[in-house]
Amino acid sequence: MSKFAKRSKKAGLPPGTLVHIGKKRSEKTRVRLINYDESSFLDTETEAAEEYCAAKAATGITWVNVDGIHQIDLFQRIGECFGLHPLVLEDIMNTDQRPKMEDFGDYVYIVLKMLSLNDRGEIAAEQVSLILGKNFVLSFREQHSDIFDPIVERIKSGKGFIRKTGADYLAYALLDAVVDHYFVVLEKREEEIDALEEEVIANATPSTLQRIHKLRRELIFLRKAIFPFRNVIGALERGESAFFEPTSRIYLRDIYDHTIHIIDTLETFRDLATGLLDIYLSSVSNRMNSVMRVLTVIATIFMPLTFLAGVYGMNFKHMPELEWTWGYPAILLLMATVGISMQVYFRKKKWL
């Protein structure tokens, strides 16, 4: 319901109208402009549109990274500088897009989800949009994070051959950084599954059931965020976009393998989560059966004792044992003998 409620902001508006849909994650939009080639490196933060346009026309590779996608006027200036279609800008500002790839001739537009863990250990997802052109890459994120900082350091230090390659390799590096971070999230969920397995077997409680249901919802969410991305990388690796050179498509194949591995891991986690639910229900059922067995044994032991107490509690006048001096202790001894004998029998049968 929340997805439709957010999209209702665009009801009645013409296509290409820029409306930010989603949670405002950054108070101020940060624009980082990086231009580099094999012998030079420029890194600056600016909101001046003329610098974007000048960087696009400059030699080398231009990377514009935008953190915070709610500032409409800034997006319009960037779109004008790089010749972006209004529908692309509209999709960038709509943060509930599914992962996809669209080729517009002069550039290719890629959408994917970046996953992270918040302070409470919950999975947080944000949309990352990449635009790859002939000599430029545009990246748009909902908020600032340090996930791309190692790539900036590689460019700055000149390590590897990222400074010697084109914009397609930079786009690959950004995609690879996002996908590698999926493994961090999955490792944390694997630790949680292991802890839940021990808890379910040792001492399952109603809070355990809540954690299992929460885990299952998260795994479904992860699958929806990651599964379509496999098709995106597969299309790029097969050469459906001319912006990725054959030398870069080899690296895309590596991302594709990682994506397949992540999806297989998710399917395994989903099976384990389903198994945890079954184990929890079995544990609760077994615990209830144990309680009922003990209560049944206790009730069975007291049945003959209750019978004896009922018979000799009727107080008929002509009951021969009523006048017997040793009648009371004899009945108590008989009750004790019957109770102990039945208890020994039940323990021998392992019913108690």
Side-chain angles (χ1 to χ4, degrees):
M1 293 297 293
S2 60
K3 296 294 184 183
F4 289 101
K6 290 187 293 184
R7 283 183 175 268
S8 63
K9 297 179 181 180
K10 294 183 62 61
L13 298 178
T17 303
L18 299 186
V19 177
H20 178 244
I21 298 177
K23 183 179 179 181
K24 184 179 177 181
R25 299 175 182 266
S26 177
E27 291 297 325
K28 182 181 179 181
T29 300
R30 296 177 54 184
V31 182
R32 189 173 188 177
L33 174 62
I34 297 177
N35 183 270
Y36 66 91
D37 56 22
E38 193 171 350
S39 59
S40 63
F41 174 79
L42 172 66
D43 184 5
T44 182
E45 287 193 13
T46 179
E47 293 186 9
E50 57 272 10
E51 293 193 30
Y52 308 149
C53 299
K56 180 186 177 184
T59 58
I61 306 301
T62 298
W63 175 19
V64 179
N65 181 71
V66 180
D67 296 331
I69 56 176
H70 56 276
Q71 196 169 332
I72 296 177
D73 56 342
L74 177 62
F75 268 71
Q76 290 175 334
R77 295 199 302 267
I78 294 176
E80 292 173 357
C81 284
F82 290 89
L84 304 182
H85 195 281
L87 290 178
V88 173
L89 298 177
E90 179 185 2
D91 286 349
I92 293 174
M93 299 192 74
N94 182 359
T95 60
D96 67 343
Q97 296 286 330
R98 71 191 302 271
K100 64 179 182 178
M101 183 273 291
E102 296 178 350
D103 197 325
F104 286 83
D106 295 332
Y107 55 88
V108 60
Y109 171 49
I110 303 172
V111 182
L112 68 158
K113 297 294 183 180
M114 183 167 65
L115 305 176
S116 60
L117 297 173
N118 58 23
D119 298 335
R120 298 187 299 273
E122 300 172 342
I123 296 177
E126 64 173 290
Q127 180 171 296
V128 177
S129 300
L130 299 179
I131 295 178
L132 169 62
K134 184 178 180 180
N135 63 339
F136 67 88
V137 174
L138 310 179
S139 57
F140 302 89
R141 299 183 292 179
E142 297 184 54
Q143 61 183 347
H144 175 70
S145 64
D146 58 357
I147 190 172
F148 291 158
D149 288 353
I151 300 175
V152 176
E153 291 300 321
R154 284 161 54 191
I155 297 174
K156 183 177 180 180
S157 63
K159 294 181 179 179
F161 53 93
I162 191 170
R163 292 265 291 264
K164 303 176 183 179
T165 53
D168 56 337
Y169 187 84
L170 173 60
Y172 149 75
L174 299 179
L175 293 172
D176 185 59
V178 174
V179 172
D180 284 346
H181 212 65
Y182 291 169
F183 288 101
V184 178
V185 176
L186 292 180
E187 287 174 1
K188 293 296 183 180
R189 286 299 165 264
E190 183 178 15
E191 294 174 1
E192 182 177 357
I193 290 175
D194 292 340
L196 279 173
E197 284 182 341
E198 296 179 0
E199 184 175 336
V200 166
I201 296 174
N203 184 27
T205 62
S207 62
T208 306
L209 180 60
Q210 295 179 359
R211 291 171 58 192
I212 293 174
H213 281 301
K214 180 182 176 182
L215 175 64
R216 294 184 68 188
R217 288 196 301 268
E218 287 183 341
L219 293 177
I220 292 173
F221 171 77
L222 289 175
R223 189 179 188 278
K224 291 177 63 177
I226 298 175
F227 195 84
F229 185 62
R230 179 188 65 173
N231 299 330
V232 174
I233 295 298
L236 295 175
E237 189 267 333
R238 290 191 300 269
E240 295 186 13
S241 174
F243 289 96
F244 281 93
E245 299 293 334
T247 53
S248 296
R249 291 203 292 269
I250 297 176
Y251 296 99
L252 290 176
R253 190 181 308 160
D254 182 64
I255 297 182
Y256 184 79
D257 292 339
H258 289 174
T259 307
I260 295 298
H261 177 68
I262 291 170
I263 292 175
D264 290 342
T265 303
L266 279 176
E267 294 299 323
T268 302
F269 286 175
R270 289 180 64 192
D271 293 339
L272 290 175
T274 302
L276 286 176
L277 183 58
D278 294 338
I279 294 173
Y280 173 84
L281 296 176
S282 298
S283 176
V284 172
S285 178
N286 290 336
R287 191 181 308 166
M288 181 63 69
N289 291 338
S290 299
V291 173
M292 293 302 298
R293 184 172 60 223
V294 172
L295 294 177
T296 302
V297 168
I298 293 174
T300 304
I301 292 175
F302 273 89
M303 282 176 63
L305 307 184
T306 305
F307 171 76
L308 293 174
V311 169
Y312 288 99
M314 292 187 292
N315 295 322
F316 287 113
K317 183 176 181 180
H318 300 289
M319 291 183 67
E321 293 85 357
L322 291 178
E323 302 296 331
W324 186 32
T325 304
W326 301 101
Y328 180 68
I331 290 298
L332 290 181
L333 179 61
L334 177 61
M335 288 183 177
T337 302
V338 171
I340 293 174
S341 299
M342 295 183 69
Q343 185 177 2
V344 170
Y345 177 77
F346 290 145
R347 288 187 179 276
K348 185 177 181 181
K349 292 292 186 178
K350 297 182 179 180
W351 295 349
L352 183 64

